[in-house]
Amino acid sequence: MKMLSQNKMARRRFIGVTAGAVASGIAIAAKGEKKMKEITLEALPYAEDALAPTISARTVSFHYGKHHAGYVKTLNGLIAGTQYEGRTLEEIIRTAAERGDTAIFNNAAQTWNHTFYWNSLVPAGKGGAPSAKLQAAIDAAFGSFDACKDALADVAIKRFGSGWGWLVAENGKVSVESTPNAETPITRPGVKPLLVVDVWEHAYYLDWQNVRADYVKAVVGGHLNWNAASRRFA
Ligand code: MN
């Protein structure tokens, strides 16, 4: 793929955000540029230090600026000139999963999962509470909000190796699960992710070293966006 100047890259990112293309992650090339669509790195919904001290600015800087950005860049390189170019991120993930295009799947799913992760987190105390509808589903599945958070933390902590802990909804019911590596619930029709916790070591090692459980408990206890989960569940 042709290398882009910093200015063009910055313009594409700006265009991607301002065009309201956030949901699909697709940016449309500006007038006069070669006509192609790229998957964009979506902007962080807060400053890099907004999650500190649970997740430090240094962690966010590497996690977003190197890991997440790296998945986006690698994905664009992999899909350039293929049947995947110009398709939405969700289409790329589902098609690559079906076809067994592992490298494309991994980088596309990691792009999606990380955007969902940043948008599952909030600065301490800013997460609101489950809506009445979500609270009712939580009560039906877990018995209480605290039991739901404990269950989510538990699956995230117990994921062996790299992966993700999820709160998901399917047919109006909520449950928790974990996925390994890049795997994502959105490959399963009818499953709607509500929240996610990244338990790859790069998500916590600078701040918590080997103590994944303390990172997960701090995130689940104080940094999950229950307002967003309620909107997703509605
Ligand atoms: Mn990660």
Side-chain angles (χ1 to χ4, degrees):
M1 189 175 70
K2 191 180 147 196
M3 289 294 289
L4 295 172
S5 70
Q6 289 293 331
N7 273 349
K8 281 189 178 175
M9 287 297 282
R11 259 170 77 217
R12 282 196 180 169
R13 189 169 304 173
F14 178 75
I15 290 160
V17 170
T18 55
V22 169
S24 66
I26 291 284
I28 298 163
K31 194 179 173 184
E33 291 183 25
K34 185 184 167 198
K35 191 178 179 186
M36 65 176 284
K37 291 178 179 177
E38 283 198 336
I39 300 300
T40 52
L41 176 65
E42 292 184 25
L44 274 180
Y46 33 66
E48 289 189 348
D49 64 356
L51 307 172
T54 301
I55 303 173
S56 65
R58 182 168 159 78
T59 290
V60 175
S61 175
F62 278 94
H63 196 177
Y64 175 74
K66 301 295 182 188
H67 292 274
H68 190 179
Y71 294 124
V72 175
K73 185 178 178 192
T74 301
L75 177 63
N76 281 318
L78 288 169
I79 66 175
T82 74
Q83 63 162 312
Y84 291 99
E85 189 176 319
R87 298 172 74 178
T88 68
L89 185 57
E90 291 82 357
E91 286 172 346
I92 293 169
I93 291 166
R94 294 186 180 115
T95 304
E98 285 166 13
R99 292 172 48 91
D101 288 334
T102 306
I104 289 175
F105 173 81
N106 284 340
N107 284 281
Q110 284 296 79
T111 296
W112 194 96
N113 289 349
H114 279 89
T115 301
F116 195 77
Y117 172 63
W118 303 124
N119 287 286
S120 289
L121 302 184
V122 282
K126 302 287 188 186
S131 64
K133 184 181 173 187
L134 178 56
Q135 182 66 56
I138 285 171
D139 288 342
F142 303 101
S144 70
F145 186 38
D146 282 345
C148 172
K149 289 187 284 188
D150 288 347
L152 176 58
D154 193 54
V155 292
I157 291 164
K158 287 179 178 167
R159 160 53 44 195
F160 185 80
S162 297
W164 304 84
W166 302 86
L167 179 69
V168 301
E170 185 173 15
N171 297 324
K173 293 183 177 174
V174 295
S175 61
V176 296
E177 65 180 62
S178 73
T179 57
N181 303 315
E183 285 185 26
T184 178
I186 70 165
T187 52
R188 299 182 344 250
V191 177
K192 192 191 312 182
L194 302 180
L195 293 168
V196 74
V197 181
D198 187 342
V199 289
W200 283 59
E201 284 185 348
H202 64 227
Y204 60 87
Y205 218 86
L206 292 173
D207 301 319
W208 300 90
Q209 291 76 54
N210 59 308
V211 193
R212 178 193 286 185
D214 286 358
Y215 152 76
V216 169
K217 287 174 186 169
V219 168
V220 172
H223 292 275
L224 289 182
N225 192 342
W226 292 100
N227 292 328
S230 300
R231 287 195 299 274
R232 292 163 186 156
F233 186 66

